[in-house]
Amino acid sequence: MFKKITLSIIIGILATFYYAQYDAWTHKKIIQYMQKVAQESLGGTVSCTIQSMSFFSPSFAMHDVEVKSLNRDQWMWRCKRCEIHCSWLQLLFKGVLDQHMIIEGFESSSHFADSHFSIEPHIMAMMDQSFMPFTTELKSIVFKNGFLYIRNKEIDADISLYFNSSSLRIGKQIKTTVSIGDGNITHNKRMYVEKLAADVSFITEYVGDLFNCTMQLAGTCVLPHMGNEGSCYVSGVWNNDRGRFSLRNAYNSLIIDPIVITNRELRINGHFPLSYAMQCFADSWVDQMIGGIAHFSTTIKRDESLKADGHIIVEDVSVNQYVVCDVGKIIFECRDDNWKMHVGISHHNQECKGTGYWHPSTQQGGLSLKNSTDLSTKAFNYWRIKPNNFFTHLTLNQGTIKGNYEAIATNSLSQTHHCVKGLLSYQQGICITHGSIDTDEFRIEGAFLPECAIHHCSYKDKDKRELIALKASEDKKLVGSIAFPFIRSMINNVAHYDVQGEGSLEVIASVSLPHVIMDFSLKDATIRLPQTYNFIDGFTVHCVGDIGQKSVIFHDINLSLHTGNMNCLRATSYFDDKGSLLFMHAPFILDRCLLNIKKDLFAIVSGNLLLAKNSQLPAQVSGTIIIDKAQLKENLFSEVIQKQLLSYTHSVFSLPDTPLYCDLTLETKSPIVVDTGFFKTKAYLNVRVKKERHEPSISGSVVLHSGMLNFPYKPLYISKGIITFMPEQLFDPTIEFVARNKIKKYDVSLQIEGSLLTHHIALDATPPLAEEQIVGLLLVGSEENSLNSMMPALIVQNLKNLIFSNNQVSFFDKYFKPLLGTLNINLVPSFTDQTGRGGLRGALEITVDDRWRAVIQKNFSLTEDTKFELEYLFSDDITFRAIRDERRDLGGEVEMRWKF
């Protein structure tokens, strides 16, 4: 009977336990018990739904489990399903109930502060305490499709990880393997690490009160700020209180290796691109402009002092690929929250040194720099900042930067000085600097982050006249004007041209980096061009600059001159990494532009010019110049004038310190009018001027049409005149020149053969005459042998200078008028002794026209009568002459010439 009762009780108990597994009331009581334990021992609240439970093969399954901290939003975790398995046999034989836990769809978040996770106490309580009436031990735990989110509000950093893990207790050790499938690290809502994938294995145990942990890590990640080189490898080991880790990318451009952690200190060595650092700090277009490599080494003590020291060395630092410094070095140390630094910057053997400090707790710091060597730049070859003549001091207080600066530049040739000094400030992305350049004042206000923009810019001279006035408009465009005196000083300093004029340059600019769009136009301008009387009275251009492509494109260039116009529809230029011109293509069209060389040459020209440059060749100007109309006031045969023309071409088409090649073709549409005191003609020009390296070369010809040599008695008319230029004879062109005329009964001709430097001048007459007689005929119209043979001899000796002189008017005044000033051009004195009749004989010659000529002769020493002679030219070959001599005898002559 007792056995039956006992069996019935056991069956009843088993039935009760069996039905209790599915009873909602039982489930509710269990959940209430779990909530009580969570609040009293685990520091949180629990909500869940029991899916299934078994008392016979102990198992417990829950879904939609969510545990939150009692302190709001400190930590939480939840899972879609949590299953726990146990074994009664383990409890019977060992006295401990082993637990095996599987968690699916796990999600957890926790704040991180003071080097600890907020969820740590909750996890330790779950691992160490038993909430059953008997002893329990967590034997294994598996996380499937887990997600972990860690938040640090102090530094606004987030870590999110998708993982799977498995932990198994073996004796006193817990072995854990974690497979991270994807992970991200953000700071200030900017991504710094993404696509983190790693395998991590842990072995943890307690030895007494000490917690020991060994770990191995191997994985990959992507640093988005590194661009195409962002794929990195991560590896490391940890053993109790020391470890070593490494991070490097596939290109070895970023290496942080080793990261050594011991019980005494933390040591980190490595190098990285400066562009990566700027990306991390600025996260804007500025990082694209920074280049260079940074090497660093630091040591941090792991004690209460947290003493730190180390150095950072940067190499080949560039801004927009313009090298700022070759090497920069910062040596730092930290003592009691006080950072001290020694700074050194060097570039091309030029160096600046300084010191700095930083207090993290108060967010205050400062930096001072001074040059220890001469400072110079290629843009200003002869200017130097001598040692200790540059100084700057900056202070940082709660994100606000303030400072002052001063620099004195000295010209090594003239020993003149210019001083620049002022103040600057930076706060909330706005930078303001104002100061003075000698006696001139300036002020610039702008923003650098997240984009560069100028809000206001002004420049005033010593008389407080505003030379630059630029201000941002409502549509974020920079609008204003630049006075011409400022432009004049800039051109004079850079190009060494003193361009005179007045007016202002109107500017409209919009900046959307990396693009800069600007419109320029001259207003009320009168700007005199160098080397010419012409001047600029209008100019407009639209230009687009691309900092990333290092290009500037000009559209619709219109240059209006007082006489003429110059236009270009599109000009393109590209620059290299150092800012030097790499490529240029600028076609210009000239329309009736006035050019002149002093008062000697005036010309109206049209045509086309191409300014071009590529990486292999220097800058070159080529094209065709059409001379519409021109007048030359100097001698075309003069070597001096030819050199002046070439020097003018060289000065117009040349830039300081910049080699410029030239290939120009010059042609005349209408002949050049050459008009001097002695030489008058019309010249047709067709020459090609080329300049490579140093000296130019000329090829082509100048053809003279009509014209004359204006001798005092009668001119010689030009029948042929050709000046031929050859490349190998720069200032020695070949000359072919013939001029002739009928003077009295003579056919007189003048021929020049040879070159400008080695030539031969031949005078010829038919009937034959001596050169002295021909010159006398040209000067006074007489071929008689008298005093005239002395004066023409002097002229013959200087005939070469007369024809090839560059100032024929002054030469004529110098050589002709003194010789002819004491004599009437029609009075012919003669000391010739005629058959012993000596004395002073004079002749008065009267020329009516080319056919009639009369001569009256008188011997002033004798009392004879006067001799009369009348000559008439019937034709070029027949001459009739009537004579009444001193004895009053009448006679006549008929002269006839035959040519065989």
Side-chain angles (χ1 to χ4, degrees), residues 560-575:
S560 174
L561 307 177
H562 177 70
T563 303
N565 294 281
M566 185 180 296
N567 303 289
C568 176
L569 294 179
R570 178 186 174 93
T572 305
S573 58
Y574 288 89
F575 301 87

Side-chain angles (χ1 to χ4, degrees), residues 29-42:
K29 290 298 181 180
I30 293 174
I31 292 174
Q32 289 177 352
Y33 175 75
M34 292 174 58
Q35 290 175 344
K36 179 181 179 182
V37 171
Q39 289 182 356
E40 294 178 355
S41 304
L42 302 181

Side-chain angles (χ1 to χ4, degrees), residues 3 27 44 53 113 208 212 279 318 343 354 373 422 494 598 611 625 642 644 664 759 778 780 814 848 867:
K3 292 181 179 180
H27 292 179
M53 59 183 300
N212 292 336
Q279 279 270 18
S318 62
V343 181
T373 63
V494 175
K598 298 182 180 178
L611 299 177
I625 302 297
Q642 294 180 17
Q644 286 181 358
L664 295 174
H759 54 267
L778 292 171
V780 297
K814 180 178 180 181
V848 179
K867 178 183 177 180

Side-chain angles (χ1 to χ4, degrees), residues 93-144:
F93 293 106
K94 294 174 55 179
V96 177
L97 184 65
D98 291 341
Q99 295 180 351
H100 301 272
M101 184 178 296
I102 299 175
I103 301 177
E104 298 180 8
F106 176 81
E107 295 182 13
S108 176
S109 64
S110 172
H111 289 299
F112 181 83
D114 299 328
S115 302
H116 292 284
F117 295 99
S118 301
I119 201 172
E120 282 184 20
H122 172 75
I123 295 176
M124 299 304 296
M126 289 183 63
M127 298 289 291
D128 295 340
Q129 298 184 29
S130 176
F131 306 106
M132 298 293 182
F134 40 79
T135 304
T136 62
E137 184 179 53
L138 182 61
K139 194 68 175 179
S140 68
I141 181 171
V142 176
F143 290 91
K144 296 182 179 180

Side-chain angles (χ1 to χ4, degrees), residues 146-148 160-163 179-184 194-198:
F147 173 76
L148 177 64
S160 57
L161 301 173
Y162 292 89
F163 69 96
S179 177
I180 300 175
D182 190 14
N184 300 316
E194 63 182 5
K195 298 180 181 180
L196 175 62

Side-chain angles (χ1 to χ4, degrees), residues 288-303:
Q288 303 295 336
M289 301 173 61
I290 303 298
I293 300 292
H295 305 266
F296 70 95
S297 176
T298 182
T299 301
I300 303 175
K301 299 296 182 181
R302 294 183 65 189
D303 52 23

